[in-house]
């Protein structure tokens, strides 16, 4: 999330060349969910329990630094814990990118700090904000894990109706533009060994199927905003 | 959309009884997408092409009168026409419930009028706003059609990659609370003769599988805000 201006300029230049009718181009190695091939992968996915509760709460990050809050709001809604009510929701409950910041969450990471340098949330801050909502959270830095462990954990938890997984990865490592990013995982396809990322930067990229090894490598990158720890994933349950 | 206060009170009373952790209860006749049965219907749906581009732009209506604008934003994004850019989207494009109101759209229905009595948009206004985006639009009042024609048209258009369909129906006719509502259709399942409605009032109800006949009957109801014409559906393509 650093160098927001540089990211914006790069994205804008790319947008000009695609006439702004679509998201940024994807590398050959990645499959968009919004293609016949990507749709077929979901229909025949070996682990897709989490896709449904997440997809019905799929949302676009409110600003370029808010991938963390958008991902957290989706997961809190999917977990079906009691949701904050408002007049705008007829007195019914829904988490959004503002009301996730309860006093306990603000104590972990103030909303205002996310839109100021160094911008965004770290893996540990995402875990901390989720824990502030009284959830059981496990934060795993990729350097402390390995591909096989991640794959097996993620498959198990994508298939159950208890856990959700959020991944924090470096976009450039999977040939996307450009910096650190956070989004929930929706599904796993065994035939292609790919995970589905429900990318909350919906103006920038569609949900993508990315190879497990490529995703793990993109998580196993150093985050200079997080004491040079590696990125990784957060597992959360009620 | 009339009697917003009465609707709010009813919803609030229902919410109290469900602890606000979930959406309102559904009748037996309706299947939520976010259940194993509902998910299985999507995976084995006979027409689901439109589900994917719509689902990746699924959004919650910004206020209780904005089911029309939310549905229109989803469909404009799914159609992949050039999208308005902003700083908040890194200069990339995305339709939302504010920027759909171009001058041409405002000339059909001003945004401000939607949040004032009689609240919301009529079927003809939804068609008019879409047409103001230079799209080919067909507005069909249910009284001018019949169940078989609607079913066949909707199946064909849900399966192609050109058209999208928005339905305008009376919630109480399918045992939901309460008034007129607008949302896009996502899929059709032949085995159960059900359509999937991607309900933009996401705090209130999940996406639902509703029987074709019940949906048609709910569209074939008089809208006193639209010169007593019946509700119905809008078909739109580039
Ligand atoms: Ca498979
Ligand atoms: Ca799970
Ligand atoms: Ca079927
Ligand atoms: Ca279609």
């Amino acid at each position: 999330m650093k160098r927001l201006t540089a990211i914006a300029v790069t994205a804008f230049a790319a947008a000009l060349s695609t006439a702004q009718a679509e998201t940024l181009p994807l590398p050959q190695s990645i499959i968009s969910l919004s293609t016949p091939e990507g749709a077929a992968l979901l229909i025949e996915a070996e682990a897709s329990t989490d896709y449904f509760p997440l997809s019905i709460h799929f949302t676009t990050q409110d600003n370029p630094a808010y991938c963390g809050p958008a991902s957290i709001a989706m997961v809190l809604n999917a977990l079906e814990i009691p949701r904050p009510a408002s007049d705008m929701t007829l007195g019914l409950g829904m988490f959004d990118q503002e009301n996730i910041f309860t006093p306990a969450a603000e104590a972990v990471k103030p909303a205002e700090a996310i839109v100021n340098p160094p911008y965004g949330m770290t893996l540990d801050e995402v875990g901390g904000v989720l824990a502030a909502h009284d959830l059981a959270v496990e934060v795993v830095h990729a350097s402390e894990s390995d591909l096989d462990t991640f794959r097996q954990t993620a498959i198990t938890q994508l298939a159950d109706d208890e856990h959700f997984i959020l991944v924090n990865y470096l976009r450039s490592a999977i040939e996307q533009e450009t910096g650190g990013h956070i989004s929930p995982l929706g599904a796993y396809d065994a035939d292609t060994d790919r995970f589905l990322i429900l990318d909350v930067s919906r103006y920038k990229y569609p949900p993508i199927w990315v190879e497990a090894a490529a995703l793990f490598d993109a998580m196993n990158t150093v985050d200079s905003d997080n004491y040079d720890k590696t990125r990784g994933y957060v597992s959360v349950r009620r």
Side-chain angles (χ1 to χ4, degrees), chain A:
Chain A
M1 278 300 161
K2 265 189 171 173
R3 295 187 299 268
L4 211 58
T5 311
I7 293 171
V9 168
T10 310
F12 186 64
L16 286 179
S17 67
T18 56
Q20 301 184 359
E22 296 171 15
T23 46
L24 298 180
L26 290 170
Q28 285 282 353
S29 57
I30 284 176
I31 301 166
S32 164
L33 175 64
S34 194
T35 60
E37 186 181 6
L41 288 182
L42 180 65
I43 287 169
E44 295 174 22
E46 279 66 33
S48 61
T49 301
D50 291 5
Y51 169 80
F52 293 93
L54 286 170
S55 71
I56 70 173
H57 297 291
F58 200 11
T59 197
T60 304
Q61 60 185 87
D62 281 346
N63 65 62
Y66 255 39
C67 52
S71 301
I72 289 167
M74 282 176 65
V75 168
L76 292 180
N77 283 321
L79 280 164
E80 296 207 336
I81 57 176
R83 301 168 185 157
S86 78
D87 287 348
M88 286 301 102
T89 55
L90 295 172
L92 296 165
M94 186 61 69
F95 284 103
D96 60 37
Q97 294 167 57
E98 292 178 13
N99 68 20
I100 64 166
F101 290 100
T102 58
E106 277 274 325
V108 174
K109 181 75 175 182
E112 187 62 23
I114 297 172
V115 291
N116 281 289
Y119 297 110
M121 298 177 75
T122 66
L123 181 67
D124 292 277
E125 289 166 350
V126 169
V129 166
L130 287 166
H133 283 271
D134 291 326
L135 297 166
V137 172
E138 189 183 11
V139 174
V140 180
H141 294 272
S143 63
E144 304 156 359
S145 185
D146 56 66
L147 172 58
D148 287 344
T149 305
F150 163 66
R151 183 195 286 112
Q152 200 47 58
T153 303
I155 293 171
T156 301
Q157 298 193 358
L158 286 167
D160 75 18
D161 54 10
E162 292 185 345
H163 301 82
F164 289 90
I165 291 183
L166 304 92
V167 287
N168 174 212
Y169 56 103
L170 184 65
R171 280 195 188 278
S172 59
I174 56 168
E175 298 179 79
Q176 289 191 332
E177 299 190 14
T178 302
H181 194 53
I182 295 160
S183 282
L185 283 187
Y188 175 78
D189 174 64
D191 300 289
T192 61
D193 193 24
R194 287 173 188 264
F195 286 102
L196 177 65
I197 300 176
L198 293 171
D199 193 330
V200 293
S201 177
R202 299 199 289 186
Y203 45 82
K204 196 172 173 182
Y205 290 110
I208 57 162
W209 287 102
V210 59
E211 290 183 3
L215 174 57
F216 187 81
D217 288 347
M219 298 194 304
N220 199 13
T221 50
V222 168
D223 184 357
S224 61
D225 296 335
N226 197 20
Y227 309 101
D228 283 347
K229 290 190 275 191
T230 56
R231 298 178 178 88
Y233 65 94
V234 174
S235 161
V236 58
R237 64 174 172 81
R238 292 166 77 159

